Amino acid sequence: MFEHLKEQPADKILALMGEYRADPRKEKIDLGVGVYRNAEGVTPVMRAVKEAERRIVADQETKAYTGMAGDPAFSDAMIGLVLGEAVPRDRIAAVATPGGTGAIRQSLELIRLASADARVWLSNPTWPNHPSIINYLGIPSKTYRYFDEATRDVDFAGMIEDLGALAEGDVVLLHGCCHNPTGANLTAPQWEEVIALMKAKGAIPLVDIAYQGFGDGLDEDAQATRRVAAAFDECLIAASCSKNFGIYRERTGILMAISRDAEQQKVTQGTLNFLNRQNFSFPPDHGARVVTTILNDPELRADWEAELEETRNGMLALRQQLADELKRLTNSDRFEFLAKHRGMFSRIGASPDQVAAMREADGIYMVGDSRMNIAGLNSETVPKLAAAIVKAGV
Ligand code: LMR
């Protein structure tokens, strides 16, 4: 039967990881996959994670199954981190998932089960795995304009115009903060306008929040998600712990589904449990246990927040350094957007040819759509990148 299999399209982010590894040049710079790296190029295990793991190894007495939704303490801790007090707890169903991608996958399965006709609207551009999973599941989708290639800011007029075509029951996938791949984000008043429009149309939000703490701060980055969650009767939120806890390979995420009331929540929770059982049964536990240990211990939590803040400030400093260097080299303000963008990524607006030229001539690896991972830089590589950007004619 396997002779009937066809080659699947390569994920462009993962393909780039392979190309980077195969490049023998010592001075190559990896600005591809969204993994944080410090100035030495290392993705460190965070201090609080190390300590939580030490405690878990010392104290854990069983590896027996948890529950189909994962450990309820993980759900409670994550609901607190992402939603705060925005929504009454008895309206929220939640399941632990294998990473944020698992949460996205389960949210789409839930949508498909609840409403076969619902279309899912995606920002153009978005994280490539969003449309990939949606197409794989056979869910109808649409796109809305999001990025203005000229200003490298949000094309808000275009977004509002496109979302004007929403039908009742459509789902809009929104990036809660730190938009991937552009780095351009809605302002608070713009969020309010999007919420009002979606409510008027009877649309349902699906918020993907994978970079909480990488933009302006843990609470600041959750504000839009909390506003959305509080505004709608029904809402889906997929959150990842990969980046802000630095536990990428532990596959730790959560799907929260907000129902209109506590009665409906019970059915939604049961359906989420059912979907977990169908797809992978019990969700992974180790990363979730690490996260719960950190969030519920005041000392560990304070240390985690402090390290996350150092990480965030480091990325902001790199953004500013790159914007300043490009200002110096070009004698213009046209790269000012780099300091304004938030999160791990910025789309710099280079053409595919310019991206290829930077890779060939200078060993700089960014995704073909010119998304670059700011955390792949350090203060020594910033001037090299700036020079390469100018040389490529961006
Ligand atoms: C990225 O966008 O680079 C990350 O979310 C990693 C991935 O799985 O694509």
Side-chain angles (χ1 to χ4, degrees):
M1 62 153 78
F2 293 162
E3 67 273 19
H4 301 302
L5 295 176
K6 294 189 195 76
E7 288 279 347
Q8 296 298 328
D11 181 293
K12 60 184 180 184
I13 297 171
L14 303 186
L16 193 68
M17 279 169 87
E19 285 172 40
Y20 175 80
R21 280 198 197 117
D23 186 336
R25 285 175 288 183
K26 273 217 173 61
E27 305 72 35
K28 61 186 178 178
I29 303 174
D30 181 6
L31 307 179
V33 69
V35 171
Y36 172 74
R37 283 191 297 279
N38 63 19
E40 288 75 47
V42 175
T43 304
V45 181
M46 294 178 87
R47 296 184 299 261
V49 169
K50 269 271 180 227
E51 175 56 20
E53 288 188 313
R54 199 190 57 72
R55 290 185 195 175
I56 291 167
V57 168
D59 300 343
Q60 195 166 47
E61 279 169 357
T62 181
K63 292 277 188 192
Y65 291 126
T66 52
M68 199 48 63
D71 184 348
F74 172 66
S75 295
D76 288 342
M78 282 301 292
I79 287 169
L81 182 70
V82 178
L83 292 179
E85 303 288 319
V87 181
R89 180 66 181 88
D90 64 2
R91 284 179 50 212
I92 310 171
V95 276
T97 54
T101 307
I104 288 289
R105 170 67 188 249
Q106 297 302 73
S107 73
L108 293 167
E109 298 236 13
L110 186 79
I111 291 164
R112 192 173 59 166
L113 211 54
S115 169
D117 300 331
R119 301 177 298 180
V120 178
W121 290 69
L122 300 171
S123 65
N124 180 18
T126 191
W127 182 50
N129 213 18
H130 286 150
S132 180
I133 301 174
I134 286 172
N135 292 337
Y136 177 65
L137 292 174
I139 294 175
S141 66
K142 302 278 285 179
T143 57
Y144 59 87
R145 272 171 283 172
Y146 185 80
F147 190 60
D148 183 332
E149 297 285 348
T151 61
R152 274 83 149 181
D153 202 348
V154 175
D155 174 5
F156 191 62
M159 178 176 180
I160 289 294
E161 195 183 327
D162 289 349
L163 292 182
L166 282 170
E168 186 164 355
D170 278 355
V171 175
V172 182
L173 200 161
L174 299 156
H175 297 226
C177 64
C178 307
H179 186 268
N180 180 6
T182 66
N185 296 290
L186 298 176
T187 62
Q190 288 173 336
W191 274 106
E192 294 304 326
E193 219 177 301
V194 169
I195 290 170
L197 175 62
M198 285 177 57
K199 278 177 76 83
K201 297 281 178 187
I204 296 155
L206 162 56
V207 181
D208 184 355
I209 179 160
Y211 294 89
Q212 186 184 353
F214 274 55
D216 292 303
L218 275 170
D219 273 326
E220 291 83 346
D221 292 350
Q223 280 319 314
T225 304
R226 292 175 190 170
R227 268 297 301 140
V228 170
F232 289 82
D233 287 346
E234 293 181 340
C235 174
L236 289 155
I237 298 145
S240 170
C241 303
S242 297
K243 331 277 167 162
N244 51 8
F245 288 87
I247 51 172
Y248 305 84
R249 65 175 66 165
E250 301 298 352
R251 311 312 299 138
T252 309
I254 185 167
L255 173 62
M256 304 168 220
I258 298 168
S259 298
R260 60 186 70 247
D261 56 37
E263 204 53 44
Q264 177 59 50
Q265 184 272 358
K266 292 194 191 100
V267 182
T268 310
Q269 181 67 61
T271 311
L272 291 181
N273 292 5
F274 168 80
L275 287 173
N276 268 13
R277 181 67 168 157
Q278 303 321 302
N279 284 325
F280 44 79
S281 202
F282 297 89
D285 179 71
H286 180 72
R289 199 157 293 276
V290 167
V291 167
T292 312
T293 304
I294 293 171
L295 292 179
N296 288 341
D297 181 289
E299 236 173 86
L300 281 187
R301 185 173 180 136
D303 189 44
W304 168 67
E305 287 185 7
E307 193 169 353
L308 184 59
E309 195 168 324
E310 285 162 30
T311 303
R312 184 171 63 79
N313 286 335
M315 285 189 290
L316 287 176
L318 288 167
R319 285 188 173 283
Q320 193 60 55
Q321 190 193 347
L322 184 58
D324 290 348
E325 185 66 8
L326 282 161
K327 184 176 184 160
R328 196 179 66 76
L329 292 178
T330 62
N331 212 6
S332 82
D333 284 335
R334 65 199 167 87
F335 290 99
E336 210 35 57
F337 65 88
L338 287 164
K340 201 178 152 212
H341 284 173
R342 283 293 179 270
M344 230 185 223
F345 307 118
S346 269
R347 182 151 153 173
I348 62 164
S351 68
D353 285 348
Q354 289 168 329
V355 170
M358 284 188 267
R359 185 159 63 230
E360 275 149 35
D362 305 292
I364 291 168
Y365 285 74
M366 59 180 77
V367 184
D369 62 3
S370 81
R371 182 192 88 167
M372 60 178 186
N373 174 9
I374 295 290
L377 292 165
N378 62 36
S379 56
E380 272 150 46
T381 52
V382 164
K384 291 185 192 162
L385 172 64
I389 288 173
V390 172
K391 191 169 81 182
V394 181

